[in-house]
Amino acid sequence: MTQFLEAVPVGIGVVDATGRPYYFNQRAIQLLGKEIDPFVTPDRLAEVYQVYLAGTNRPYSTEKMAIIRALSGECTRIDDMEIHQNNKTIPLEMWGTPVFDERGNVTYAIATFQDITERKQAEQLLAEYNQTLERQVVERTLELEREQAALQQSEATNRAMINAIPDLLIQMSQDGTYLKVVRSGNFQPFNAQQLKAGVNIYSILPPSIARERMEYVQKALQTGELQVYEQKIVDEERVYDQEVRIVGNSDGEVLVMIRNIRDRKQAEEASILEERNRMAREIHDTLAQAFTSIIVHLQRFAGLRGTVAAVSEPVTQMLRIN
C-alpha cells in the first residue's frame, strides 16, 4: 500500500482520529516543504505547514480544512488554500475523505492535494481575457451606438434638407424609366398623376421634351458632370417653365431635379417689357428735344418766316402725335 501511495503523482496525507499527521507520501512532503511531524496538533497544522487562505497572509482556518472536516465524516473539496514555501506561493486543490471502521466510526481522514499553479494562471489569463473582451464589447457597443446616433442624425438632416428642396426629385435609369419619386417638391408638374416607378418618360412627356431629356441623361452619365438646362412644356391649360438638373452615378442611374421657374420667367418677361418701354420713352424724349431745337433755330431766321412756318408745322404736328 505504501509503494502504491508513493507512486501516486498527487500529495496524500493521512491524519488519525485525533487530527495528528499519520502519513505523508513524498509528493505531499515536496508540496508542504516539511517532513511529517506526528506531534503537530490540528490547531497548529496551518502554522507548521504554512497554510494560508489564498491571496492573503491569514492562516487557513483549521475547522475549514478538508482533512479536518473529513474527521466529521464529510467529503469535501476546497481550492482556496495556498502554501508559502521559501518565498514561493503554491496554490492547492484538496479533497478530504473519511475512513470508517467496521462500526462506522471515523478512524482516519485522507487528504489528497495537488499544485494548481498552472490552472490558476490559466484562470487568471482567462479572466483577464474575458475582462478585455467585455471592455472591448462595451467600447464597441458604445461606438456602434454613437455611429447609429450619428447616422440617424445624418439621415434626419438629409431628410430635412430633401424636404426643404422645392424641386421635384426623380431617380431614373439610363433608359428613361422612373425608379423612384424621391421628393415631389412644392409644385405639381403637368404629368403628376403619371409619375410612378416603372413608367418611361417617352410615355408621359412630349417626344421632343423626352428626347432632349435623354440627351442630357447620356451626357451626365458619360461625363460625370452636372447637366443643367431649361425646358418649356405647353399643354391645353397652362405653360410650364422648368429648370432641369441631372446628375449620374456609377450604377447607370441618374437623379433628375426639376424646378418650377415660371415665376422667374414671368418676372424676366415683365422686366424685358419694362426695359423696352423705358427705351421707347428715352427715344421719344430725345427725338422731341431734337425737333424742338430745330424749330427754335429755324425761327431765328426772321426773314424766312414763311419757310419756317412751312417746316415747323409738320414737326409740331409730329411732336403732338408722339
Side-chain angles (χ1 to χ4, degrees):
M1 177 62 71
T2 300
Q3 291 177 354
F4 175 77
L5 294 178
E6 291 297 335
V8 176
V10 297
I12 297 178
V14 181
V15 297
D16 61 19
T18 65
R20 295 177 182 272
Y22 177 80
Y23 168 80
F24 288 168
N25 69 352
Q26 289 300 312
R27 181 55 179 159
I29 294 173
Q30 291 175 359
L31 291 173
L32 297 174
K34 294 182 183 297
E35 296 286 344
I36 185 172
D37 185 350
F39 300 104
V40 176
T41 56
D43 59 343
R44 296 187 64 238
L45 285 174
E47 175 188 353
V48 172
Y49 292 103
Q50 298 292 292
V51 182
Y52 294 88
L53 181 66
T56 72
N57 289 320
R58 299 199 305 270
Y60 203 91
S61 175
T62 301
E63 61 271 15
K64 291 184 179 181
M65 289 185 178
I67 196 168
I68 299 301
R69 293 165 64 181
L71 291 174
S72 302
E74 185 180 357
C75 293
T76 59
R77 169 189 169 275
I78 58 175
D79 63 355
D80 59 349
M81 173 186 291
E82 60 188 25
I83 302 295
H84 293 183
Q85 181 189 130
N86 299 325
N87 297 323
K88 181 180 179 181
T89 300
I90 304 174
L92 296 178
E93 183 176 30
M94 179 179 289
W95 292 264
T97 305
V99 177
F100 301 94
D101 61 13
E102 63 276 5
R103 294 187 181 89
N105 298 318
V106 177
T107 56
Y108 296 97
I110 299 177
T112 57
F113 47 94
Q114 63 179 348
D115 183 354
I116 56 174
T117 299
E118 292 183 356
R119 194 187 82 186
K120 288 292 184 181
Q121 291 174 345
E123 290 176 350
Q124 180 65 26
L125 289 174
L126 181 60
E128 292 175 354
Y129 173 77
N130 287 335
Q131 291 177 354
T132 301
L133 185 60
E134 289 176 1
R135 184 176 65 255
Q136 291 176 343
V137 169
V138 171
E139 291 175 353
R140 182 55 181 162
T141 300
L142 292 175
E143 182 180 353
L144 289 174
E145 289 177 352
R146 288 193 295 268
E147 291 177 354
Q148 184 177 8
L151 180 60
Q152 291 175 345
Q153 180 62 37
S154 177
E155 290 178 348
T157 301
N158 291 338
R159 193 179 305 111
M161 291 174 62
I162 290 177
N163 290 336
I165 295 175
D167 300 344
L168 170 67
L169 303 183
I170 303 173
Q171 187 177 358
M172 192 172 70
S173 66
Q174 60 183 347
D175 65 354
T177 300
Y178 292 138
L179 302 176
K180 180 181 180 182
V181 178
V182 181
R183 169 74 176 156
S184 61
N186 60 1
F187 75 99
Q188 291 295 323
F190 80 102
N191 55 355
Q193 301 300 322
Q194 298 172 291
L195 290 179
K196 56 184 178 180
V199 176
N200 193 279
I201 65 170
Y202 284 104
S203 64
I204 62 175
L205 288 179
S208 60
I209 299 297
R211 284 194 299 270
E212 184 181 28
R213 175 77 52 83
M214 292 308 300
E215 290 177 0
Y216 282 102
V217 166
Q218 297 306 319
K219 287 181 181 179
L221 292 173
Q222 292 170 3
T223 65
E225 298 176 353
L226 174 66
Q227 302 296 316
V228 183
Y229 72 98
E230 295 181 1
Q231 66 183 20
K232 181 187 294 288
I233 303 177
V234 181
D235 66 4
E236 297 177 354
E237 298 180 358
R238 55 182 294 189
V239 176
Y240 297 86
D241 287 301
Q242 299 171 345
E243 180 184 77
V244 182
R245 294 173 176 263
I246 302 176
V247 61
N249 61 27
S250 58
D251 295 329
E253 298 175 355
V254 295
L255 183 65
V256 181
M257 296 164 277
I258 304 175
R259 175 172 296 180
N260 181 10
I261 59 173
R262 181 58 182 163
D263 292 341
R264 191 185 78 189
K265 286 295 185 180
Q266 288 177 338
E268 290 176 353
E269 292 172 359
S271 177
I272 292 173
L273 180 60
E274 176 63 24
E275 180 65 16
R276 288 176 177 175
N277 291 335
R278 184 189 64 79
M279 293 177 64
R281 287 194 299 270
E282 288 183 355
I283 292 173
H284 173 271
D285 293 342
T286 300
L287 290 176
Q289 291 176 4
F291 287 136
T292 301
S293 177
I294 291 172
I295 292 172
V296 171
H297 286 294
L298 290 175
Q299 288 178 346
R300 290 179 180 177
F301 297 95
L304 302 174
R305 292 188 180 275
T307 304
V308 171
V311 174
S312 61
E313 184 60 28
V315 174
T316 302
Q317 291 299 324
M318 181 183 299
L319 292 178
R320 289 173 180 170
I321 294 173
N322 290 331

